[in-house]
Each structure stands twice: as structure tokens, then as C-alpha cells.
Amino acid sequence: MYLMVPLAPLAGAMIAGLFCRVIPRWVAHTATIAGVAIAFILSCVIWKDVMAGNTFNGPVYQWLTSGDYKFEVGFLVDSLTATMMIVVTSVSLMVHLYTIGYMQEDPGYNRFFSYISLFTFSMLMLVMSNNFMQLFFGWEAVGLVSYLLIGFWYTRPTAIFANMKAFLVNRVGDFGFILGIGLVLTYFGTLDYKTVFEEAPKFVDATVNIWGKAEWSLMTVTCILLFIGAMGKSAQVPLHVWLPDSMEGPTPISALIHAATMVTAGIFMVARMSPLFELSTTALAFVIVIGAITALFMGFLGIIQNDIKRVVAYSTLSQLGYMTVALGASAYGVAIFHLMTHAFFKALLFLGAGSVIMGMHHDQDIRNMGGLRKYMPITWITSLIGSLALIGTPFFAGFYSKDSIIEAAEFAYHAGHPGGAFAYFAVLAGVFITAFYSFRMYFLVFHGEERFGKAHDDHGHGHDAAAHDAHGDDHGHGAHDGDHDDEEVSHDHHHGLGPGEKPPWVVTVPLIALAIPSVIIGYIGIDAMLFGDYFKGVIYVDHEAHPAMHELAHHFHGAAAMATHAVTTLPFWLALSGVALSWFFYMKRPDIPAAIKAKFEWLYTLLENKYYFDKFNEAFFAGGARMLGKGLWRGGDVAVIDGTINGTAKMVGWIAKIVRFFQTGHIYSYAFTMIIGVFVLLSFWMVRA
């Protein structure tokens, strides 16, 4: 049964991929959806079995033996694994269904289904692993398929650039990750989770020499290196720059990457490695500070975005920062809880954004929308639910997980956790910022004046608001620079719905299905996941050194009481203030934001350039790499290699020029030369004698 979960999506991917040019579209989507559906059903069965107390940890296949080292493919199925399996397969299933409507006019239809099914397989192999080797395999496989999907429209310059950025940035994180795994293998002699976790306390005082005479804590160095890998996959500052650009891929994969798969890999990994991270307060301090910076400063960038998908993308970055703060506060269960709730409402927001984009005939600029609620009622209601969940509205899913993170940060601050004070401030400020930019988007899209057809028209046609509740497209506003060789030459690939035309069920069903858990999953799950035995024996926390979870449990009095008490707390009023200010600015006084922009042009420029991270990377890393390559070329290739070869050739030529004076072609010249040689040899022999 365990094998069937990852293999079912793999089988669907192989059918759709290997035979994409010969099979009809219905075969491709049927095979892949069936595979993911089987994986989802089996995941639910496995979860129920795990809840009954049955777990599994063992090898499936021995891949390689080298001396005393064994490299195996194995599964660890416990409550953490089962939760991730359900999240991944359920969201993936909704995305697959949505894709039928979304990609119906794209020539790469079969290829896309193959990719997203392969993506699901890779993520399942990652979360089900019981050893570092398989974890790394799943880690890289998820990354590989994500590059294929981000650059799905591979002739568009923007897609090529985004794909390359994702690849290069993740290589930085993966370099740290593989070094951390190398340290684990070197000192523990195994890559098996169970053995490493059991032996880890013995190495709490162990040190490692990195350079010079400085000695560093082995556990600190190992955990920080592993977390650098998480910084890449889960897009933490400064390795976050690839994630907003991933919007160049189709909207369904944006939802899958941002909600349930790739970006959650790092969060899952740190939670799984809790027995290691708990042995290093320094590593936890590093984690919480990085998370706080990401949560706060990526939220600021969401305020100025006008592309509907990029607003949602920057909210993902900010929420990933919240999850990372929870990890740094040793509230690993809270991080996974927020990962789960976030998966549903973030997938909902992305698919809702896609629906809006299609209804607007591919215009992604929220300034060109307005009043869409009466034309797109399903998208309006579900987007409102997703936004309320995102900002942490009491009784909605996001409230329970997000509020728990804020409380964990507060307790970490009071306990004197390094970086706790800044983290608590960051997550509090992030509440107001998230509410402001989320509802800025909501109000500009669904309320107020109908601006479509009145603003500039980059696509050469008016925007028909009567294109109701359609599936989404992510062709950026004025950003479609080309088509594939197998695509029609057009401004876009999809054409939306006509006036009065209703969307297919494959579009509306995923929105409704994702809206339900976005409301109720937090209320249902908080007691068991955070304060029960749900993660007992799976996640380890040293409550004496890191008391955040203990304090959370002490102050928890039930899901209903938590929600009703929230109206008296600062986060609730910060969220409400953000919503109210957003409504006032963009519904009543739109001149005020314009005036603020004009007054603080320098700040707007700073945010518009994303704190100049891209320019710094281009100048320092890319420029440095080019300079290094040029130096190696001139110094190594030209000076040393070419110099040696060319110098040798010149020396041979010089000798040849001298020698040829003695080569006349006459026998008497060679005889005379021989006589001189014999004379020299005899003279040398007589002198020595």
C-alpha cells in the first residue's frame, strides 16, 4: 500500500509523458487524475491506520553498499508523514481537476499533466523518506520538475529568466544542504533518520574545525547547513528571489508550488529534524531571525504589487516566514499546522486569481478590474473566504495556526530566546501588513467602480467582465513575448468565457472544495495537532530549554474559546485595522495612496526594486562568477595552458631553426658531423680517465 501512494502518480506521469504525442487529451488527464486520486484515497487510509497507532519505518530497496555505508530507499510513515501525504495529494487532486479547464486550449496539455503528476510523485518520495539519501533524491526531483513547470512556456524570455533564476538560487541552498548531509554521514556513519536521531545527543559537545584554529559546534554547523537548504526550497531571505518569478509558470502549478509542495519541503525537513535542531540554540536563533525578516519585509513588497498573482505570491513568502518563526521558536507542530491550513487557503487564492485572470481576458493588473463580484459570484465568495483565512480571522483555518505562531513567538521572547523579541515584533506587524495588502487586492478586484475596458488595454481587446467564473491563465500583463513552435501565434493561449457562458464544473468544484477546509480545518485540527498526542514520538521538543509549546498548551482552553477570546487581543485589532484602512484608501480616498507614493517616491522605488536583491545578486554573485570565470580563462587557460603549449611549440621551432643549419642533405656533411661527435666523446672519456 505504501508503495502505491507514490507509484500511482508516477504511472500517470509516465503515460501522459511518454505517449503525449499519440494519446488523446482525455487519456492524459484521466490517467494522471486517477493516479493522484488513488494516492489521495490510500493516503487517507494510511492516515487512519496511523491514528490507530500503526507506523512503519523500514527499507524498501537497497540501492548501494560502499564499505560500511548502506544507501537505501525506505519509508517512514508516521503522523507527520501521513499529514503531509494528505495535504500534498488533496491539493494536487484539486489542481489536476482545475487544469482540465485551465489548459484546455494549450497545445502542451498532455505535457503539463505529465509534469504536475511527476511533481506529486517527487514530493511524496520526499515526505515518505526515512533516510537522508532519499530525502535528497526527493528534494532534487521536486526542484527539477519545478524548473520544467516554471519554464513551461519555454520560448518566453521571462519564463526562461525565471526558470534560470530558480535553478541558480536553489543550487546555493542545495550546496549547503548536501554539506550538512555530508557532515551527518561523516560523524554518524549512517544516513538513517532513526539512528542519527538516537545518536545525536552524544554529539552535543562535539566540535568541528572549519578553517584556521576556530572550533565550531558540530550540531550548530550541521543544522545551519541543513537549514540553508530549507532557505532555498522554502524561499527565505536572501534565497527568496526565485519564488515571485515562478509566476511565469501556469497558474495551476503556481498554486501547487506555493501551497502544498516545493516551498513546504524546507518546513517539513526542519520539523522532521527537530531532534537535531533542539540540540543547538544558536541554530534555532538563526532560523527564527531569518523567518522574522522574511515574514515582515516580504509582506511590505505585497503592498505595491499590481499583478494579482504576485500579490498572492508575496503573501506566500510572508506566510513561509511565519512558519519558519514557529520552527525557530521550537513550535514545530505549529509550523506544520500552519503549513496544512495555508495549503488549502493559498491554493484557493491562487485558483481564484486564475479565475479572475481568465474572466478578465488575461489582464492581471488589479487596477483594471473592480466590481467583479456580480459577474463572478463563486470566485468572489471563495476569494473572500481565502482572504479571511489568510489574515487570521477568528474561526477561519488560518486564525488558529497563525495566532498560535504569534503566541509562540511571544513566549519565546519572554523566555529570552535569542531573536525572540524581533520575531515577535515582525509577526505582529505582519498581521496588519497582510490584512492591508490582501484586502487591497480584494477590494480593487471585486468591489468599487468597474474599470475594465476603460483603462489601458495591453492585449489589444477590451476586457469583458461578463466572462464569468472562468478558469485562470497566468500570461502576465503585457508579458507574453512569444509562443512555442507548437502553439498558435497569439497574444494568449486561452480565451476565457463568452458573455453569459458558465464555467465548467472542473473550475468551480476545486474552488468550493478548497474553500471548505479553509474555513473548518483549523477548528477541527488544533486541539489534536498542537496539544494532543498527534506528533508524540515524531517531533521532539526540549520544553525546559524552549518552553513555547508548553506555554501554548497552558493557555489553550479549546478552539471556540480561543476564537472568542481573540477579539480582545492585539492581532485581531491589527488585522481589522488593516482591512479598514485598505477599504478607506482604495474605496473612499484613492487619492491618498497616490499622494503617499508621490511623497515617498524613494521608498516606493526601494520596494519596487525588491530591496535591490536582484541587482545585488546580478552584480555580486553573477558578476563575481563571470569575473572568476574570466580570471580562470585568462590566467589559467590563456596564460598557463595555452602559454605552456604555445611556448613549447615556439621552443621546438627555435631549436628546429638552429638544427636545420646542420642538415644540408650532403653525405660528407653528416660524415664530418659524426667524426666531430666521436672526437668529443673520446676526449670526454680521456679527461675523465
Side-chain angles (χ1 to χ4, degrees):
M1 183 186 299
Y2 298 135
L3 273 173
M4 282 295 297
V5 175
L7 291 183
L10 178 62
M14 291 176 66
I15 293 171
L18 295 177
F19 307 102
C20 64
R21 296 185 181 275
V22 296
I23 60 175
R25 293 186 169 196
W26 71 267
V27 174
H29 71 236
T30 301
T32 52
I33 291 174
V36 176
I38 291 171
F40 170 66
I41 294 169
L42 292 178
S43 295
C44 293
V45 174
I46 291 170
W47 178 82
K48 186 177 181 181
D49 189 54
V50 170
M51 292 299 100
N54 301 311
T55 60
F56 176 81
N57 182 20
V60 176
Y61 173 72
Q62 186 169 301
W63 178 62
L64 176 67
T65 300
S66 178
D68 296 329
Y69 301 125
K70 293 182 179 179
F71 301 92
E72 299 174 331
V73 175
F75 291 153
L76 170 58
V77 181
D78 52 22
S79 56
L80 177 59
T81 305
T83 301
M84 291 298 298
M85 289 165 65
I86 289 179
V87 170
V88 170
T89 55
S90 60
V91 174
S92 179
L93 181 59
M94 294 300 101
V95 169
H96 274 71
L97 288 173
Y98 186 90
T99 300
I100 296 175
Y102 175 83
M103 297 293 288
Q104 63 180 346
E105 297 181 25
D106 197 293
Y109 187 92
N110 291 357
R111 178 166 59 93
F112 187 80
F113 270 100
S114 176
Y115 287 172
I116 59 176
S117 193
L118 187 61
F119 200 61
T120 307
F121 158 75
S122 302
M123 191 65 193
L124 288 169
M125 290 297 292
L126 188 158
V127 300
M128 295 178 71
S129 63
N130 76 336
N131 62 83
F132 285 91
M133 190 209 74
Q134 187 177 326
L135 175 70
F136 187 75
F137 161 75
W139 195 267
E140 293 304 304
V142 167
L144 171 63
V145 186
S146 72
Y147 310 140
L148 295 174
L149 286 162
I150 294 170
F152 183 77
W153 289 304
Y154 51 80
T155 60
R156 291 168 56 181
T158 50
I160 296 170
F161 181 78
N163 196 16
M164 182 61 70
K165 183 187 286 189
F167 176 80
L168 293 176
V169 172
N170 274 278
R171 294 290 67 75
V172 177
D174 290 350
F175 181 69
F177 190 58
I178 195 67
L179 287 178
I181 293 176
L183 282 177
V184 170
L185 183 61
T186 301
Y187 285 88
F188 291 86
T190 180
L191 294 176
D192 180 71
Y193 288 165
K194 183 180 179 183
T195 306
V196 171
F197 296 161
E198 289 175 349
E199 296 293 319
K202 300 178 182 178
F203 293 88
V204 67
D205 297 321
T207 59
V208 58
N209 181 266
I210 300 178
W211 63 79
K213 297 181 179 180
E215 295 289 331
W216 297 71
S217 167
L218 172 65
M219 298 312 303
T220 296
V221 173
T222 301
C223 289
I224 288 177
L225 287 173
L226 291 173
F227 180 68
I228 289 173
M231 289 169 64
K233 286 291 185 290
S234 292
Q236 299 294 295
V237 173
L239 302 182
H240 68 284
V241 294
W242 68 271
L243 192 59
D245 290 81
S246 69
M247 298 298 98
E248 289 298 325
T251 296
I253 197 55
S254 299
L256 204 54
I257 288 177
H258 286 246
T261 53
M262 187 174 176
V263 296
T264 65
I267 306 300
F268 163 79
M269 186 272 293
V270 176
R272 176 64 79 192
M273 304 299 152
S274 61
L276 302 182
F277 280 84
E278 284 299 290
L279 299 177
S280 176
T281 300
T282 303
L284 289 173
F286 181 78
V287 171
I288 200 171
V289 169
I290 293 294
I293 293 172
T294 305
L296 180 61
F297 289 96
M298 295 302 105
F300 284 132
L301 296 182
I303 297 174
I304 67 160
Q305 301 302 315
N306 295 313
D307 184 309
I308 187 172
K309 282 179 57 179
R310 287 187 177 266
V311 177
V312 186
Y314 278 104
S315 83
T316 299
L317 282 169
S318 183
Q319 296 309 304
L320 287 169
Y322 273 83
M323 298 176 204
T324 305
V325 166
L327 295 173
S330 292
Y332 306 98
V334 179
I336 297 298
F337 186 43
H338 194 51
L339 183 158
M340 180 187 70
T341 61
H342 175 265
F344 294 110
F345 65 72
K346 186 52 55 72
L348 174 62
L349 286 171
F350 264 113
L351 298 187
S355 180
V356 169
I357 294 167
M358 179 58 75
M360 291 297 298
H361 284 237
H362 321 293
D363 188 354
Q364 299 184 188
D365 196 327
I366 59 177
R367 296 170 297 183
N368 300 336
M369 301 177 187
L372 292 182
R373 71 183 188 279
K374 66 180 180 181
Y375 301 110
M376 312 177 72
I378 297 175
T379 301
W380 165 51
I381 293 295
T382 53
S383 296
L384 177 60
I385 290 172
S387 299
L388 290 171
L390 173 62
I391 70 172
T393 307
F395 291 102
F396 285 78
F399 160 75
Y400 292 100
S401 54
K402 194 173 182 178
D403 204 66
S404 297
I405 293 174
I406 296 170
E407 290 185 24
E410 181 183 8
F411 294 136
Y413 159 55
H414 291 310
H417 191 296
F422 173 62
Y424 181 47
F425 165 76
V427 294
L428 269 181
V431 172
F432 174 83
I433 296 166
T434 302
F436 182 81
Y437 70 69
S438 297
F439 274 83
R440 169 182 176 263
M441 178 184 72
Y442 170 77
F443 288 130
L444 287 176
V445 172
F446 296 105
H447 294 269
E449 177 189 3
E450 297 178 4
R451 296 178 296 277
F452 40 85
K454 301 177 183 179
H456 61 282
D457 187 357
D458 288 349
H459 299 290
H461 56 75
H463 304 297
D464 186 2
H468 310 317
D469 280 305
H471 48 280
D473 180 80
D474 81 327
H475 292 258
H477 188 58
H480 196 321
D481 299 308
D483 298 279
H484 298 301
D485 55 4
D486 62 343
E487 295 174 3
E488 76 277 11
V489 179
S490 62
H491 290 285
D492 50 56
H493 304 279
H494 315 285
H495 306 286
L497 300 176
E501 188 179 352
K502 294 184 178 180
W505 67 270
V506 292
V507 172
T508 56
V509 167
L511 291 174
I512 298 170
L514 289 168
I516 295 171
S518 297
V519 177
I520 67 173
I521 195 71
Y523 186 95
I524 295 173
I526 183 171
D527 195 2
M529 290 189 71
L530 300 192
F531 310 112
D533 294 332
Y534 193 87
F535 291 125
K536 185 178 181 181
V538 178
I539 291 175
Y540 171 74
V541 179
D542 184 351
H543 293 290
E544 292 185 3
H546 310 121
M549 285 302 297
H550 179 76
E551 292 295 329
L552 274 174
H554 179 72
H555 289 82
F556 180 74
H557 302 290
M562 181 177 177
T564 53
H565 174 71
V567 297
T568 65
T569 62
L570 182 58
F572 173 81
W573 291 104
L574 285 171
L576 184 61
S577 300
V579 174
L581 187 64
S582 178
W583 173 82
F584 180 72
F585 273 9
Y586 297 98
M587 293 291 98
K588 294 297 182 182
R589 293 292 303 278
D591 59 300
I592 296 179
I596 294 174
K597 178 184 175 182
K599 182 72 172 179
F600 299 95
E601 186 67 31
W602 64 270
L603 181 58
Y604 183 84
T605 303
L606 177 66
L607 296 176
E608 192 175 41
N609 286 278
K610 297 172 285 188
Y611 308 114
Y612 294 96
F613 272 108
D614 282 337
K615 293 186 182 297
F616 174 78
N617 290 336
E618 290 173 11
F620 184 79
F621 290 109
R626 286 194 297 269
M627 186 179 297
L628 178 63
K630 193 174 183 180
L632 291 173
W633 167 58
R634 288 184 172 177
D637 190 32
V638 176
V640 178
I641 299 174
D642 289 352
T644 301
I645 296 173
N646 295 336
T648 303
K650 289 181 180 179
M651 184 177 67
V652 171
W654 179 76
I655 295 173
K657 287 181 181 179
I658 297 175
V659 171
R660 76 181 185 178
F661 288 109
F662 299 96
Q663 296 180 340
T664 63
H666 300 290
I667 295 178
Y668 65 80
S669 297
Y670 299 137
F672 181 71
T673 303
M674 185 181 68
I675 292 170
I676 293 175
V678 171
F679 174 77
V680 171
L681 287 173
L682 288 173
S683 299
F684 180 74
W685 180 77
M686 291 180 65
V687 169
R688 289 192 63 182

